[in-house]
């Protein structure tokens, strides 16, 4: 295993996955669950999405050790309607439940034109692009929404009520990587604030408030009794509210504040749900022209110097880490190795 400087360790992507699997198996996961989560971590490190890669492993392990998350979960797929599926997650981590539902959702979208899937009773701790990208690669427009813990205040308030509530959208591009965006409805993702606190640097203005309700760029003040702010004030808060309703009330799972009230407070991911929607663009009126038409928009965006499409940076990182590996803090590497027992 090659090493970087004294503060970092560089792992090949195979080593990232193998270390993750070893750690999960040593802490109460069976092989199916361990490999499913390790795939998420591998892909996050591959794409440079550090806040959802190995950085998350200690949190996953905390929820296994507390007994909150079921490391031997056996998700169950249910057929609710011709275009509606549900996967009951059995209290496990999200990836295995998503794997179970992915191909059925793709098949239903192709046969019905539009299909929805509810994933319930899961612990979601990952980036949403991981769920959406395979659907877009299969030729579908795709959406995913999930809530979290109550980290974000409604404008004018000081009590966190919404999760960071990410949403992801994927658009297929035949012959090219899909256009996929994944963004929180908070001004900054929670993991980015945690990494800023770990690494000792400020966060951008507008990220959050301290325990007294004053805006701050100190990540520790936000994490220690403070709260996060939605992006764009009321606009971001409205989207956060929408995500709460889609991933909570609509599918019969928890709001962010309900997840917190029932949580073991172990530092691991919340228990809740996810809502996904898949659309076959060839079934909505322009079966032969939708892809070329979309490329006109993308070409117009990219014609201006300095612009890029969402996911462009991840694809550049993907090519880089395939040969250079993924560098992580040496302290994090040591922590994960120690968790392997």
């Amino acid at each position: 295993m090659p090493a970087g400087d004294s503060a970092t360790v560089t792992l090949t992507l195979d080593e990232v996955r193998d270390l993750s699997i070893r750690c999960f198996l040593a802490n109460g996961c069976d092989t199916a669950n361990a490999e499913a989560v390790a795939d998420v971590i591998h892909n996050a490190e591959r794409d440079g999405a550090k806040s959802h890669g190995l950085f998350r492993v200690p949190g996953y392990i905390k929820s296994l050790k507390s007994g909150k998350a079921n490391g031997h979960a056996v998700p169950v797929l249910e057929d609710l309607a011709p275009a509606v599926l549900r996967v009951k997650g059995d209290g496990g981590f999200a990836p295995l439940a998503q794997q179970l539902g992915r191909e059925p959702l793709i098949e239903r979208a192709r046969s019905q034109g539009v299909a929805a899937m509810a994933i319930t009773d899961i612990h979601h701790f990952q980036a949403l692009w991981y769920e959406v990208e395979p659907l877009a690669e299969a030729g579908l427009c795709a959406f995913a929404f999930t809530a979290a813990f109550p980290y974000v205040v409604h404008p004018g308030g000081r009590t966190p009520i919404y999760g960071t509530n990410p949403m992801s959208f994927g658009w297929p591009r035949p012959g090219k990587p899909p256009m996929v965006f994944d963004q929180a409805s908070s001004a900054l993702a929670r993991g980015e604030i945690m990494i800023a606190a770990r690494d000792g640097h400020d966060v951008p203005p507008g990220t959050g408030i301290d325990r007294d309700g004053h805006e701050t760029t100190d990540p520790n003040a936000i994490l220690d009794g403070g709260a996060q702010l939605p992006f764009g004030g009321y606009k971001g808060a409205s989207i956060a509210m929408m995500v709460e309703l889609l991933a909570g009330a609509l599918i019969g799972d928890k709001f962010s504040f309900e997840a917190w009230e029932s949580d073991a407070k172990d530092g691991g991911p919340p228990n809740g749900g996810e809502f996904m929607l898949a659309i076959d663009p060839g079934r909505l009126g322009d079966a032969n022209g939708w892809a070329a038409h979309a490329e006109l928009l993308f070409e117009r965006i990219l014609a201006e110097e300095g612009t890029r499409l969402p996911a462009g940076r991840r694809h550049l990182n993907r090519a880089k880490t395939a040969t250079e590996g993924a560098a992580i803090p040496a302290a994090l590497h040591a922590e994960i190795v120690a968790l392997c027992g």
Side-chain angles (χ1 to χ4, degrees):
M1 179 177 62
D5 60 30
S6 60
T8 65
V9 171
T10 299
L11 306 177
T12 68
L13 293 175
D14 285 343
E15 288 172 335
V16 167
R17 187 174 186 275
D18 291 345
L19 177 61
S20 301
I21 291 173
R22 184 155 56 97
C23 194
F24 290 122
L25 290 176
N27 286 278
C29 270
D30 62 20
T31 300
N33 281 276
E35 291 183 347
V37 180
D39 286 343
V40 173
I41 293 167
H42 168 280
N43 284 10
E45 291 290 345
R46 179 199 64 188
D47 286 13
K50 294 297 186 180
S51 63
H52 290 91
L54 289 167
F55 170 74
R56 294 285 188 183
V57 170
Y60 279 116
I61 300 306
K62 288 177 182 178
S63 62
L64 287 170
K65 287 185 171 181
S66 74
K68 180 177 72 177
N70 180 6
H72 292 256
V74 181
V76 175
L77 178 67
E78 297 182 328
D79 192 340
L80 301 184
V84 182
L85 300 167
R86 177 168 61 196
V87 179
K88 290 185 175 180
D90 193 27
F93 296 127
L96 191 62
Q98 290 155 352
Q99 286 182 9
L100 178 64
R102 183 174 296 137
E103 288 303 320
L105 179 62
I106 291 171
E107 186 277 327
R108 294 302 176 88
R110 287 173 175 165
S111 66
Q112 302 296 321
V114 179
M117 181 166 69
I119 308 177
T120 60
D121 190 20
I122 53 170
H123 295 85
H124 198 288
F125 216 35
Q126 66 213 54
L128 283 176
W129 57 260
Y130 177 80
E131 288 105 90
V132 166
E133 188 173 76
L135 303 182
E137 289 174 341
L140 303 175
C141 302
F143 301 81
F145 308 86
T146 193
F149 286 131
Y151 298 133
V152 179
V153 296
H154 191 83
R158 289 173 54 181
T159 302
I161 187 169
Y162 303 128
T164 50
N165 290 11
M167 70 211 86
S168 186
F169 171 70
W171 180 270
R173 300 179 70 193
K176 300 178 182 179
M179 190 288 297
V180 178
F181 74 71
D182 176 0
Q183 64 187 55
S185 48
S186 56
L188 196 65
R190 187 76 172 182
E192 296 297 334
I193 299 174
M194 295 168 70
I195 287 179
R198 181 194 70 188
D199 295 346
H201 61 77
D202 287 348
V203 293
T207 296
I209 56 176
D210 62 22
R211 62 175 61 249
D212 296 318
H214 303 130
E215 284 202 31
T216 180
T217 59
D218 180 354
N220 292 291
I222 296 170
L223 296 171
D224 183 15
Q228 292 179 239
L229 294 172
F231 76 81
Y234 281 99
K235 294 181 179 180
S238 296
I239 292 175
M241 182 189 302
M242 176 190 73
V243 174
E244 293 280 347
L245 294 169
L246 292 175
L250 180 67
I251 65 172
D253 218 304
K254 298 178 181 68
F255 293 130
S256 294
F257 65 86
E258 291 176 319
W260 178 250
E261 289 168 356
S262 63
D263 191 68
K265 312 297 189 290
D266 53 21
N271 179 268
E274 179 178 356
F275 175 69
M276 301 187 71
L277 185 68
I279 304 170
D280 183 346
R283 303 285 293 274
L284 284 177
D286 192 6
N288 298 316
W290 63 268
H293 196 184
E295 291 302 313
L296 293 179
L297 174 62
F298 298 146
E299 290 168 6
R300 184 65 63 93
I301 293 169
L302 295 173
E304 189 170 359
E305 186 177 356
T307 62
R308 62 178 175 84
L309 294 179
R313 182 178 299 160
R314 287 197 298 101
H315 286 287
L316 291 174
N317 289 335
R318 189 175 296 185
K320 182 179 178 180
T321 55
T323 58
E324 297 181 8
I328 65 170
L332 174 61
H333 179 257
E335 181 181 7
I336 296 172
V337 170
L339 289 170
C340 293

